[in-house]
Amino acid sequence: MDFVAGALGGVCGVAVGYPLDTVKVRIQTEPKYTGIWHCVRDTYRQERVRGFYRGLSLPVCTVSLVSSVSFGTYRHCLAHICRLRYGSAEAKPAKADITLSGCASGLVRVFLTSPTEVAKVRLQTQTQQRRPSASGPSTVPPLCPAPPAACPAPRYRGPLHCLASVAREEGLRGLYKGSSALMFRDGHSFATYFLSYAILCEWLTPAGLSRPDVLGVLVAGGCAGALAWAVATPMDVIKSRLQADGQGQQRYRGLLHCVVTSVREEGPRVLFKGLALNCCRAFPVNMVVFVTYEAVLRLTRDLFT
């Protein structure tokens, strides 16, 4: 049931956090934006509300599988470690056990998420200019009115077209562009994620009970998500830049070259672009993820016991 609960929690989380994820990706990949509100205003002015949901359909279709694998891998890995170390899967795990299981969960999901991350990032960074309106009324009609300027058609028509185009133009390597940065990001961030959630749940559990109440789960989940993204943001910036790099002339030769070039051109602060937005987005998203996850597990325990 961990797989089912993780799938439902992941879908609910995506529904809550996707618009801010679009803003985060654009801030990280497009230097023209000076801050969060500048990006929000510019996106809304050029693309309206639809611009915040570019590339949403693919994550919604795949997030249930990815989240299911993440939570299921974590639980099964933790159970195996406890069985090997303590002789029982139900034994209380040490913090090192939780950290190792969380890291394994993050690494496993990379193989599933990399192609969808490539499509998501390219669709999110693919802006569509709105047709400009006239600056003011004209008293004298022109003798030969100029035809309206045509808006350039977007390169990718949707997630599946994006994946097919990347595979055709860049091969299988294109679908896994930035996967090294993704592994560095998800490995230690998911270790932080599950460890901080376990510690906070322990702190927030009332005396005499084995689990925290709903409010405790909300607080622990939100804080765990914010902490995980705090440590993940530097590699998330590099990952987004590597994955967006295929849309024009390629600037980066690999992970290290991207890090060095980005820091040299924009300073060390570039590695923390979108940090505040990541943490603000992660708090409500992971509140929803964990409260859904725990509710499904509790419901199934009540039904089958």
Side-chain angles (χ1 to χ4, degrees):
M1 290 309 300
D2 290 287
F3 288 96
V4 176
L8 292 174
V11 170
C12 293
V14 167
V16 171
Y18 197 83
L20 288 178
D21 185 68
T22 297
V23 175
K24 179 265 297 184
V25 169
R26 291 189 176 187
I27 287 174
Q28 290 177 341
T29 58
E30 300 178 31
K32 68 177 182 178
Y33 294 122
T34 57
I36 295 171
W37 291 113
H38 179 213
C39 181
V40 170
R41 285 196 303 269
D42 188 68
T43 300
Y44 182 76
R45 186 175 64 250
Q46 294 188 21
E47 305 169 68
R48 298 305 183 195
V49 175
R50 188 178 180 182
F52 295 98
Y53 290 93
R54 286 192 175 275
L56 174 63
S57 57
L58 190 61
V60 165
C61 293
T62 58
V63 74
S64 57
L65 174 63
V66 173
S67 186
S68 171
V69 168
S70 298
F71 279 87
T73 300
Y74 167 73
R75 285 294 183 184
H76 280 266
C77 185
L78 190 60
H80 281 295
I81 291 174
C82 289
R83 192 176 294 115
L84 287 172
R85 293 192 63 186
Y86 313 115
S88 171
E90 304 301 322
K92 183 179 179 180
K95 292 179 176 59
D97 304 330
I98 297 171
T99 302
L100 184 59
S101 300
C103 184
S105 165
L107 294 176
V108 166
R109 62 181 273 129
V110 170
F111 298 101
L112 296 172
T113 57
S114 189
T116 59
E117 284 281 326
V118 169
K120 177 178 75 71
V121 166
R122 295 200 181 181
L123 287 166
Q124 286 175 325
T125 55
Q126 172 181 265
T127 56
Q128 184 175 359
Q129 299 289 333
R130 293 176 59 82
R131 189 171 294 170
S133 58
S135 58
S138 175
T139 55
V140 181
L143 295 177
C144 298
C151 293
R155 181 176 182 183
Y156 304 118
R157 296 192 298 270
L160 294 180
H161 179 249
C162 180
L163 287 173
S165 299
V166 172
R168 184 175 61 251
E169 295 167 8
E170 304 172 47
L172 187 63
R173 290 183 63 184
L175 296 176
Y176 283 89
K177 179 169 282 189
S179 58
S180 55
L182 193 58
M183 290 182 72
F184 281 112
R185 186 196 78 174
D186 285 356
H188 69 280
S189 67
F190 270 82
T192 303
Y193 185 55
F194 286 110
L195 178 62
S196 56
Y197 178 72
I199 292 173
L200 288 167
C201 279
E202 191 175 329
W203 288 351
L204 296 170
T205 299
L209 297 178
S210 60
R211 301 294 301 169
D213 56 15
V214 174
L215 181 60
V217 172
L218 288 170
V219 172
C223 291
L227 286 169
W229 272 106
V231 300
T233 295
M235 275 297 115
D236 188 56
V237 173
I238 301 305
K239 185 271 304 179
S240 295
R241 293 190 169 205
L242 288 171
Q243 291 177 334
D245 196 33
Q247 297 192 85
Q249 184 178 1
Q250 293 193 6
R251 296 187 59 205
Y252 308 118
R253 295 192 297 270
L255 186 147
L256 187 59
H257 181 245
C258 181
V259 173
V260 172
T261 302
S262 299
V263 172
R264 186 174 63 242
E265 292 178 354
E266 301 174 58
R269 291 181 63 183
V270 69
L271 297 177
F272 298 94
K273 270 192 170 185
L275 174 61
L277 184 60
N278 272 339
C279 294
C280 292
R281 176 179 66 94
F283 197 91
V285 166
N286 288 283
M287 284 172 63
V288 172
V289 168
F290 272 108
V291 82
T292 305
Y293 174 77
E294 296 286 358
V296 172
L297 288 182
R298 187 170 300 175
L299 177 63
T300 54
R301 280 197 295 267
D302 292 342
L303 287 175
F304 295 108
T305 56

